[in-house]
Amino acid sequence: MINISFPDGAVRQYENGTTALGIAKSISEGLAKKVLAAKVNGEVWDATRPINQDAALQLLTWTDTEGQSTFWHSSAHLMAEAVEALFPGVKFWVGPAIDKGFYYDMDLGDRKMTEEDLRELEKRMNDLAKQANPYNRREITKSDALQYFNDKGDQYKIDLLQNLEDGSITFYSQGGFTDLCRGPHIPNTGFIKAIRLTGIAGAYWKGDEKNKMLTRVYGITFPNQKELDEYLVMLEEAKKRDHRKLGKELGIYTMNDDIGQGLILWMPNGTVIIEELEKLAKETEQAAGYKRVVTPHIAKENLYLTSGHLPYYADSMYPPMELEGEKYYLKAMNCPHHHKIFDAEPKSYRDLPYRIAEYGTCYRYEQSGELFGLMRVRCLHMNDAHIYCSKEQFKQEFQAVNDMYLKYFKIFGIEKYVMRLSLHDPEKLGQKYINEPVLWKETEELVRNVLIETGVPFVEVKGEGAFYGPKIDVQIWSAIGREFTLATNQVDFAQPRSFGLSFTNKENEAEIPLVIHRAPLGTHERFIGFLLEHYAGKFPVWLAPLQARILPISDKFQAYALEVEKRLKRAGVRVEIDDRQEKIGKKIRDTELMKVPYMLVVGEKEMTENKVSVRRQGQGDIGAQDISAFVDAIVEEIENRK
């Protein structure tokens, strides 16, 4: 018999070789019908894989992230089976689950896949799913695996096998399809009830543009049709809200090949939004006791060797420039520069916490295939700050940073969020992470306790910490339910030691401070991309590039329009006049498309009564108002960031 421990603390005994699915059935048949996979001693397994020793068990269903990931990876295999039937001789590279759905990269030879093929593949997948074929796991020797794919002439799988150790290789089969795969998979194809293949793209083998271009097919599946229908509605709405589309239509930003990939040119409208975000950040940080600093865009190699970024982060940095026998790097992060500012003058415990902030410009060499609009760029402007504090001050400072996040969420109407506590992987100490196991444990516990005590929703993820300490990645959801990574809040126990930072404590002894790295608004690039999609381009008045547009009915009222414009500009409102020779209906429609919050129609009646007829974006005509009353109302709305 083996002992199985459940998340609620209960321990039950089962026969050796039992499976998670069998355990679920022993609890209830209804539960067994929902189980997609299982977490056994922290590792995700097939629900049908035998358990031969005492284990901690968590049953995974569709409501669990790992359950969905297993479901989508299994769907990728189902799609591959359908592709083999329609495209004999196809060769497959990799088919992972992604945030929403899955893809599979494949070599179709000289053939091309079309939209019509996608619909045919969906039908074939539905037929195969109904067969409820089990996903069977089989351990195989490396020599047998190589022989299998040699016989198929599949150079892609042979390449994958080169880096795998004998004794760690598994095949998975379902129906007529077999693939090299570590798994896990759902019990059988019958769990897949609703299927949509969403797109076809090109993808270089291994992401290297020197290699062959493969065909990448994207898809998504669900355990019922209702969830697929809801997802497709959201997908259509997301297309309308795509920040790349809106960014162009609203004149927010542009890119140019002569400038370079991933390097954003901010248009006047985008620059207004940047300035308003900076204004908000500066006001908030000044009230919270931060001091502002400015640092250079480049630094000598030694700075990044000392910080540890070059050993751990070199692949994401631009190559060095050599001048006068020295190597200089474009700044990929602000923290080493800020450490030098802290160290420029002696500090005592009376100077702590020492908070310095900067909207710092950083440069990161993201791979070409990973660049994506404003979300993945090579030049970024970061709402960065560093807090130097003692261990006794850490809890209060870390909580204050989290409170700042919550304040911003309220301002921007972000209702759904979660803090992802990213931890180190003990097996990668000295490789991916600073080799300080005691400090890792201590600081991770500090962060965890703050999150628990403050009641902030959070999840823990192993192996995603920064190289110098644990961090919180802030996940937020837009108005239509799309997930974004907004920003980060990190604890650093390594760099203060590397830079020899210290302060004189109450006992008149030198003490090393803890450092909190935080960026509540992330970068201009990513946050404005999020806001474009969150608001569908209809920014709140305080953030809108153009806050009001005056629409004179004819040239007769141009002088009155100018008078209204002067009143609004004196009050600090961003306003312009539409003086085109167009009918008022067209002016209104065009201004709606520009997503300007307020339209002020002026004609004979408005001029006579010293009023404006007010139209609100998305609401239409809200009636005539006295100019002074409208000015007071819009100024109050702007100042309070409603």
Side-chain angles (χ1 to χ4, degrees):
M1 302 292 284
I2 56 174
N3 296 311
I4 300 296
S5 305
F6 293 89
D8 64 0
V11 179
R12 298 183 187 178
Q13 288 195 326
Y14 292 89
E15 292 288 339
N16 190 40
T18 191
T19 65
L21 191 59
I23 292 171
K25 285 180 180 177
S26 75
I27 298 170
S28 81
E29 286 291 337
L31 175 60
K33 291 177 181 177
K34 297 177 182 178
V35 171
L36 301 174
K39 195 176 281 188
V40 180
N41 292 330
E43 183 182 350
V44 183
W45 279 25
D46 306 308
T48 54
R49 184 174 171 183
I51 304 171
N52 295 308
Q53 61 184 12
D54 293 350
L57 178 72
Q58 180 187 350
L59 299 172
L60 301 174
T61 67
W62 180 251
T63 59
D64 299 294
T65 300
E66 296 99 331
Q68 289 187 6
S69 180
T70 303
F71 189 93
W72 285 327
H73 180 49
S74 301
S75 300
H77 279 233
L78 181 69
M79 179 180 76
E81 184 179 3
V83 171
E84 270 197 339
L86 292 180
F87 293 86
V90 60
K91 295 179 177 62
F92 296 100
W93 172 231
V94 290
I98 53 179
D99 285 346
K100 283 289 183 183
F102 57 90
Y103 69 78
Y104 222 126
D105 287 347
M106 57 194 76
D107 184 347
L108 299 173
D110 296 329
R111 293 163 294 182
K112 299 288 184 184
M113 190 174 288
T114 66
E115 288 294 326
E116 290 74 18
D117 292 327
L118 292 189
R119 305 291 78 84
E120 185 59 36
L121 284 170
E122 285 176 3
K123 292 176 185 176
R124 184 64 63 101
M125 287 176 71
N126 276 301
D127 291 340
L128 292 169
K130 289 172 185 174
Q131 294 175 17
N133 291 318
Y135 288 87
N136 295 312
R137 180 179 185 272
R138 176 164 61 100
E139 295 180 0
I140 187 169
T141 65
K142 187 168 185 174
S143 59
D144 286 347
L146 285 167
Q147 184 64 53
Y148 178 85
F149 287 111
N150 266 316
D151 291 345
K152 294 185 72 173
D154 192 334
Q155 71 272 29
Y156 301 106
K157 298 299 182 183
I158 291 170
D159 182 85
L160 279 172
L161 281 163
Q162 302 306 321
N163 298 318
L164 299 180
E165 293 183 11
D166 203 359
S168 67
I169 299 168
T170 52
F171 277 9
Y172 275 85
S173 302
Q174 94 278 349
F177 179 72
T178 297
D179 201 6
L180 171 69
C181 181
R182 71 164 60 93
H185 287 282
I186 60 178
N188 64 68
T189 61
F191 283 75
I192 302 169
K193 304 290 187 185
I195 300 165
R196 176 56 59 94
L197 299 183
T198 53
I200 309 167
Y204 291 110
W205 182 37
K206 297 184 178 181
D208 188 338
E209 57 191 31
K210 295 176 183 176
N211 289 336
K212 182 172 183 176
M213 176 76 77
L214 303 180
T215 299
R216 176 172 293 180
V217 181
Y218 288 94
I220 193 163
T221 53
F222 291 92
N224 59 69
Q225 187 63 39
K226 180 175 179 290
E227 289 198 52
L228 175 59
D229 292 341
E230 290 172 350
Y231 174 78
L232 293 175
V233 170
M234 187 276 287
L235 207 60
E236 283 304 310
E237 183 62 25
K239 287 179 183 176
K240 298 175 190 173
R241 293 172 178 250
D242 189 317
H243 77 274
R244 294 166 299 174
K245 173 177 174 287
L246 290 170
K248 182 177 181 180
E249 291 174 355
L250 301 178
I252 304 297
Y253 75 98
T254 188
M255 290 185 282
N256 187 281
D257 286 342
D258 289 340
I259 302 292
Q261 284 186 298
L263 304 173
I264 303 301
L265 295 169
W266 292 100
M267 308 282 276
N269 284 348
T271 304
V272 169
I273 299 171
I274 286 174
E275 290 174 347
E276 288 294 338
L277 291 175
E278 285 197 12
K279 181 181 176 184
L280 170 64
K282 288 176 180 177
E283 287 176 7
T284 303
E285 289 163 359
Q286 183 177 8
Y290 289 79
K291 297 175 181 178
R292 302 207 70 76
V293 297
V294 177
T295 60
H297 290 216
I298 62 172
K300 288 183 180 179
E301 177 183 46
N302 190 59
L303 183 76
Y304 301 118
L305 286 170
T306 302
S307 70
H309 285 100
L310 271 178
Y312 291 96
Y313 206 75
D315 289 346
S316 296
M317 296 176 70
Y318 273 85
M321 301 170 279
E322 294 201 26
L323 298 166
E324 299 177 343
E326 297 275 9
K327 286 184 179 179
Y328 287 83
Y329 283 84
L330 282 171
K331 180 173 66 172
M333 62 295 297
N334 300 300
C335 43
H337 299 250
H338 287 192
H339 298 333
K340 290 296 185 182
I341 290 175
F342 176 89
D343 200 38
E345 298 171 338
K347 301 288 188 301
S348 81
Y349 68 92
R350 293 186 180 88
D351 299 308
L352 269 57
Y354 184 77
R355 312 178 189 97
I356 52 176
E358 173 183 21
Y359 248 111
T361 305
C362 297
Y363 303 86
R364 296 180 183 172
Y365 192 77
E366 301 284 0
Q367 296 298 313
S368 298
E370 295 178 346
L371 297 173
F372 180 72
L374 293 175
M375 298 303 178
R376 216 49 126 99
V377 296
R378 288 176 171 166
C379 174
L380 42 143
H381 301 80
M382 189 179 297
N383 171 222
D384 214 353
H386 294 86
I387 303 168
Y388 301 80
C389 64
S390 65
K391 286 183 182 178
E392 293 74 25
Q393 294 168 328
F394 173 80
K395 177 183 174 182
Q396 183 177 342
E397 291 302 308
F398 203 80
Q399 183 174 337
V401 171
N402 283 345
D403 289 344
M404 189 179 290
Y405 279 105
L406 299 179
K407 173 188 173 179
Y408 288 145
F409 293 165
K410 186 175 181 181
I411 289 173
F412 294 105
I414 299 167
E415 297 179 351
K416 184 180 178 183
Y417 60 89
V418 69
M419 307 289 189
R420 186 172 64 196
L421 173 53
S422 299
L423 310 173
H424 78 299
D425 183 346
E427 295 180 4
K428 295 183 179 179
L429 286 173
Q431 303 167 37
K432 187 178 177 182
Y433 303 104
I434 296 290
N435 193 11
E436 295 279 0
V438 174
L439 287 171
W440 273 105
K441 184 176 180 181
E442 183 180 328
T443 50
E444 286 174 350
E445 194 64 23
L446 279 171
V447 177
R448 185 182 291 110
N449 288 340
V450 171
L451 292 172
I452 291 171
E453 290 175 23
T454 54
V456 174
F458 76 99
V459 295
E460 295 191 13
V461 183
K462 178 182 172 183
E464 292 191 13
F467 72 85
Y468 47 67
K471 65 175 180 172
I472 288 175
D473 290 314
V474 184
Q475 303 300 115
I476 58 175
W477 280 260
S478 71
I480 60 167
R482 290 191 69 195
E483 183 179 1
F484 293 78
T485 299
L486 169 63
T488 188
N489 189 9
Q490 305 174 355
V491 188
D492 185 351
F493 57 76
Q495 287 191 61
R497 286 168 171 73
S498 302
F499 281 94
L501 305 184
S502 67
F503 66 95
T504 304
N505 63 23
K506 292 179 181 179
E507 285 71 44
N508 204 33
E509 297 172 339
E511 185 175 327
I512 300 172
L514 278 175
V515 179
I516 299 172
H517 305 239
R518 44 109 290 186
L521 294 178
T523 66
H524 289 324
E525 289 73 18
R526 180 176 287 270
F527 194 49
I528 291 175
F530 164 78
L531 291 177
L532 276 164
E533 301 196 7
H534 184 54
Y535 295 131
K538 300 173 184 177
F539 289 100
V541 180
W542 70 274
L543 201 52
L546 183 62
Q547 295 165 326
R549 201 174 196 215
I550 303 166
L551 314 179
I553 290 175
S554 72
D555 285 349
K556 276 198 319 183
F557 310 107
Q558 186 69 17
Y560 181 60
L562 285 167
E563 183 183 329
V564 173
E565 182 187 43
K566 287 178 185 176
R567 292 278 297 273
L568 286 164
K569 283 187 172 179
R570 280 200 301 269
V573 178
R574 295 187 288 273
V575 60
E576 69 177 29
I577 299 172
D578 183 349
D579 56 5
R580 297 175 300 160
Q581 301 294 314
E582 297 286 357
K583 292 183 178 179
I584 192 63
K586 179 168 175 53
K587 289 184 178 182
I588 290 171
R589 286 192 298 275
D590 290 348
T591 307
E592 284 277 359
L593 291 173
M594 291 170 63
K595 305 188 191 307
V596 180
Y598 284 105
M599 286 171 270
L600 308 178
V601 180
V602 294
E604 186 71 44
K605 189 171 187 292
E606 288 78 19
M607 185 174 67
T608 303
E609 298 178 358
N610 202 35
K611 291 183 176 181
V612 288
S613 286
V614 183
R615 297 182 65 90
R616 188 70 162 91
Q617 169 70 230
Q619 296 178 24
D621 188 0
I622 59 174
Q625 294 181 23
D626 179 81
I627 295 176
S628 296
F630 176 77
V631 170
D632 290 344
I634 193 172
V635 167
E636 193 266 342
E637 191 173 351
I638 292 166
E639 289 180 348
N640 290 298
R641 296 190 173 97
K642 289 185 177 179

